[in-house]
Amino acid sequence: MRPASHAALGGPGLGLPGDGARARRRTALAALLLPLLGAVLLLASAAPAQAAGYRYWSFWRGAEGGSWTYQQQGPSVAVPPDGAVDGWRFALSPDGGQDAAKPRTAGSFAEICADTPAQEGRKRVAVVLDFGTAEDAGSVSGSSLSGSSASGSSAASVPEQRTACAAVAPRATSAEVLATVAPPLRYDTNGLLCAIAGYPKAGCGDQVGAAGAAQPAAGSADQSTGSGPDVGLIAGGALVAVLAGGAVWQARRRRHP
């Protein structure tokens, strides 16, 4: 007759020999793992919060009815057709496109380009420029965009929204359209558009923490190295200890069934 398995024989309430030893091993394992798991959770909760977003110029294309659609191409690549509307908004926004702040003015080509007659061999593109608010500029409390007085982004200096109509060559890009109606433009070394019509005077895609303070860019020389313990290393070490404890318990269980 085939013997019954240990699982069948060791059911609850049978009180077979070895049940007490197994229970003691489980209790010992729990006593080892629970404090370590608690330490991992505590350290994870103490980790810095994710950044709230970035301050930058988001790029939009005017859609039917005056709404806005996020531009999937950069301004140096996008070639707007005749009758298009390009929209720009400077704001504190998440990095991800569709969730960025949109221009607050509806884009109407007929209204914006009403006083710019059509020309042979040229196309007309309407442009909406929304320089954002004092809060977008990071200057509600008098602080500047990049944390220094050199940025020139005080609440009083945020430009008003405005529109323009550009008459340009048929193959002109949105960057060329913008350069026609809102110079000077400023780009960083990676080709990111930092300023339109000279605004802002400093900074470029600054990462901003949850409290609204600008953070140094990753890898910049201004990043603080700090002298405190590295939370990631501590949490990783605790997790390794948890796994090691489990492995030891399993090995002992195999040696002493």
Side-chain angles (χ1 to χ4, degrees):
M1 184 177 184
R2 186 176 180 179
S5 67
H6 286 293
L9 293 174
L14 295 182
L16 295 177
D19 280 359
R22 283 195 293 271
R24 286 193 295 272
R25 284 198 294 269
R26 286 195 294 267
T27 301
L29 178 62
L32 171 66
L33 297 185
L34 287 176
L36 292 173
L37 288 172
V40 171
L41 294 175
L42 179 61
L43 289 169
S45 66
Q50 294 295 318
Y54 298 81
R55 287 193 179 100
Y56 63 99
W57 281 99
S58 59
F59 181 28
W60 303 82
R61 174 59 50 84
E64 197 69 33
S67 61
W68 295 103
T69 301
Y70 187 77
Q71 265 285 19
Q72 300 296 331
Q73 294 180 310
S76 61
V77 176
V79 178
D82 182 55
V85 181
D86 282 354
W88 296 90
R89 169 71 188 271
F90 184 78
L92 171 60
S93 299
D95 183 27
Q98 298 291 346
D99 294 329
K102 300 178 181 180
R104 293 168 294 169
T105 299
S108 169
F109 175 82
E111 294 179 9
I112 296 172
C113 289
D115 296 329
T116 304
Q119 303 176 37
E120 185 71 26
R122 311 285 283 180
K123 68 179 178 183
R124 293 178 298 166
V125 178
V127 180
V128 174
L129 301 175
D130 187 341
F131 295 86
T133 65
E135 183 177 5
D136 292 327
S139 54
V140 176
S141 60
S143 60
S144 63
L145 175 64
S146 61
S148 67
S149 59
S151 73
S153 296
S154 65
S157 65
V158 177
E160 295 290 334
Q161 300 179 60
R162 66 177 190 249
T163 61
C165 185
V168 293
R171 294 300 302 165
T173 65
S174 289
E176 292 171 314
V177 169
L178 194 58
T180 300
V181 299
L185 307 181
R186 177 168 57 85
Y187 294 85
D188 71 357
T189 55
N190 297 314
L192 177 66
L193 180 61
C194 306
I196 296 176
Y199 183 86
K201 292 183 179 179
C204 192
D206 296 318
Q207 186 177 8
V208 180
Q215 305 294 323
S220 71
D222 292 336
Q223 272 190 306
S224 173
T225 56
S227 57
D230 189 303
V231 171
L233 290 177
I234 295 175
L239 181 58
V240 169
V242 169
L243 296 175
V248 169
W249 179 78
Q250 290 287 355
R252 289 179 177 175
R253 184 180 180 185
R254 285 193 294 270
R255 287 198 302 270
H256 305 288

